[in-house]
Amino acid sequence: MFCGIGPNKAQPSVFYFDILKCVTSINIMAATLNGLQCPTTQTLSVITSINMYFPCVSCSDIVNSFNAKEIGVRIFEDFASSWQWIIAALVIAMVVSFLFLLLLRFIAPVMVWVLIFGVLAVGAYGIYHCWWEYDNYKKSAVSITDIGFTTDFKVYLQVKETWLAFLIILSVVECILLLTLIFLRTRILIAIALIQESSKAVSHMMSTLFYPLITFVLLVVCVAYWGITALYLATSGIPVYKVVALNSTQDNCGQISGNETCDPQVNYSWCRSARCIFIKYNNEGLLQRNLFNLQIYNVVAFLWCVNFVIAMGQCSLAGAFASYYWALNKPSDIPTFPLSQAFIRTIRYHVGSLAFGALILTLIQIIRIILEYLDHKTRAAQNPCSRFLMCCLKCCFWCLEKFIKFLNRNAYIMIAIYGKNFCVSAKNAFMLLMRNIVRVVVLDKVTDLLLFFGKMLVVGGVGVLAFFFFSGRIRLPGSNFRTEMLNYYWMPIIVVVVGAYLIAYGFFSVYSMCVDTLFLCFLEDLERHDGTMQKPYYMSKKLMKILNKKNRGPKNGKGKD
């Protein structure tokens, strides 16, 4: 029975007590088998035995409101007409990232000191502005006690106590920054020298910049394997089909209740609207009863493989950059194919250590996933105390995951340098960093600052260029491309921005790994060597000059840049 036609003509709603007779009209599989067409221009109102009803809704309105196919075709047309320019923008992002890393050996000192003194200048202006505002409101009779508590925070900016508090806070922060700069100037110079040395190392090993492509391919393989396995497990049972009638008023279709199983190859000639529709996969049997556990194992294996691939990339890059640092006469002592040799050593000797480190990180991630699942399931029943405890647990395990990633990263560097197992390498790396904690903090912050501005430069510059080009504000002479050719000009811009960020992230992640590797090598060099002929320093002349170190004995290239 259909609303709006036959006996129900001119009736806005209709009752249905047999859900199985009308459920096929809103069944996706039934609609697909019927050619993506509704039985009529109206839908059925699905009603249970309680006294409720729903008005009939036009199927055409629903289809037009979700016309994803037409939007998808338009987006595809935009990509077809602009893919050359998208690729050109991504190439520009790659070139800019590459040049930025190479030029850091020349511009790193200037950028670091400009940023440091820029922060100090901003703080000084803030102090002056707070003093000026305080002097303006000093003679005002209104105090903060007269205002009390109010949600209009602009009122607090009209009393002298607020500006006095700002003045004191900014003055304290400015003094801390100045004292930090004075006492840590040598460590800042060491950080700048290591950044410049890292730029030299990358320039001698250009292939390392493209190693993230190998990591990306391996991660795609891991994701594909996980997806295929999950799909295979989800469809491992025997498919169950049941016969349903798209229109129970035709012929003898009223006899179909929707509970009988069927064979999709059988033709039901006695009911033209009868269809054999897939319902589910059979969940009987040992394998089907343990599908949930198998899916959990699949997720664990997926996370483990992803972490292992990332660890293998970090260890391979660390081995290549370590071979650069420990070359006494640079660049003549650098191996011919440092990255290839490091990758082969990693695969041959260090797979077990990398797998163990990846497993530790995977277990922490699994616990975080379980906490997120429990929080999602019990959110409605949680009281403030339980929510607070759950937030504390999630925060603690988030911090633990960050710490494990930091420890693993440095452990992989020590594995690449000395070839010891994971536990010994992790302990040695941690103790080495703790003995030089101030240098670690300074180098980490200076590197993060430079790489952040590098990413902003690449992504922002390429994004602005793409916006002006695809929006028609910039026209290239001799080009037949016009912005009127695009249906949605923002789609290519989004693709360019995302692609530029991924490219910059890949390049700068290699550079960050180089800085961390050379830093650990530098610390090991300081602790193990004394500059004699038997134990010469391997650091550059610039680092030795900063630390007032030098190699004694015959000058045969030791400490050469």
Side-chain angles (χ1 to χ4, degrees), residues 144-339:
I144 196 169
T145 56
D146 299 330
I147 297 175
F149 178 76
T150 177
T151 57
D152 187 7
F153 294 103
K154 293 181 179 180
V155 177
Y156 292 112
L157 299 178
Q158 300 176 3
V159 293
K160 60 183 179 181
E161 289 85 355
T162 302
W163 292 106
L164 180 61
F166 287 160
L167 176 63
I168 295 173
I169 294 172
L170 284 178
S171 300
V172 172
V173 172
E174 188 79 359
C175 291
I176 293 175
L177 291 176
L178 284 173
L179 292 175
T180 302
L181 179 62
I182 293 172
F183 288 105
L184 298 182
R185 64 186 184 280
T186 302
R187 290 175 174 83
I188 294 175
L189 292 175
I190 293 174
I192 294 173
L194 284 172
I195 290 172
Q196 292 177 298
E197 195 69 18
S198 300
S199 182
K200 294 179 183 178
V202 171
S203 64
H204 287 295
M205 303 176 184
M206 306 292 288
S207 59
T208 57
L209 292 175
F210 300 96
Y211 186 85
L213 294 176
I214 299 177
T215 302
F216 175 76
V217 171
L218 294 177
L219 290 178
V220 169
V221 172
C222 293
V223 173
Y225 179 79
W226 166 78
I228 293 173
T229 305
L231 185 61
Y232 176 79
L233 291 174
T235 60
S236 58
I238 300 174
V240 177
Y241 295 86
K242 291 187 178 182
V243 60
V244 294
L246 301 180
N247 190 349
S248 60
T249 61
Q250 291 181 354
D251 302 331
N252 298 320
C253 297
Q255 303 175 6
I256 300 176
S257 62
N259 294 323
E260 296 87 359
T261 58
C262 60
D263 185 355
Q265 298 180 354
V266 176
N267 185 17
Y268 296 89
S269 57
W270 49 274
C271 177
R272 289 177 294 175
S273 65
R275 298 290 186 272
C276 190
I277 297 177
F278 169 77
I279 301 298
K280 64 177 182 178
Y281 285 96
N282 186 13
N283 55 5
E284 297 178 358
L286 179 62
L287 177 63
Q288 284 69 36
R289 287 196 299 269
N290 292 277
L291 281 181
F292 181 74
N293 296 332
L294 294 176
Q295 292 285 15
I296 292 178
Y297 297 151
N298 187 34
V299 172
V300 173
F302 167 70
L303 293 176
W304 195 359
C305 290
V306 168
N307 291 325
F308 175 78
V309 169
I310 296 174
M312 185 173 62
Q314 292 176 346
C315 190
S316 300
L317 290 172
F321 294 128
S323 65
Y324 168 84
Y325 186 92
W326 298 115
L328 188 60
N329 299 308
K330 302 178 181 65
S332 58
D333 289 346
I334 300 175
T336 307
F337 300 102
L339 182 59

Side-chain angles (χ1 to χ4, degrees), residues 533-549:
M533 293 182 60
Q534 294 77 18
K535 296 180 179 180
Y537 291 118
Y538 287 80
M539 67 185 74
S540 64
K541 286 184 177 180
K542 188 170 185 178
L543 283 170
M544 285 193 288
K545 183 178 179 180
I546 294 173
L547 297 172
N548 293 322
K549 305 284 185 181

Side-chain angles (χ1 to χ4, degrees), residues 314-380:
Q314 292 176 346
C315 190
S316 300
L317 290 172
F321 294 128
S323 65
Y324 168 84
Y325 186 92
W326 298 115
L328 188 60
N329 299 308
K330 302 178 181 65
S332 58
D333 289 346
I334 300 175
T336 307
F337 300 102
L339 182 59
S340 301
Q341 293 184 19
F343 182 79
I344 293 173
R345 285 197 304 269
T346 300
I347 295 298
R348 184 176 180 181
Y349 299 109
H350 309 317
V351 170
S353 297
L354 301 183
F356 184 70
L359 177 62
I360 296 175
L361 181 58
T362 300
L363 295 178
I364 302 299
Q365 292 173 341
I366 290 297
I367 295 175
R368 289 195 62 202
I369 293 174
I370 294 174
L371 288 176
E372 290 290 345
Y373 175 79
L374 293 176
D375 185 34
H376 177 73
K377 288 295 184 181
T378 61
R379 186 177 297 274

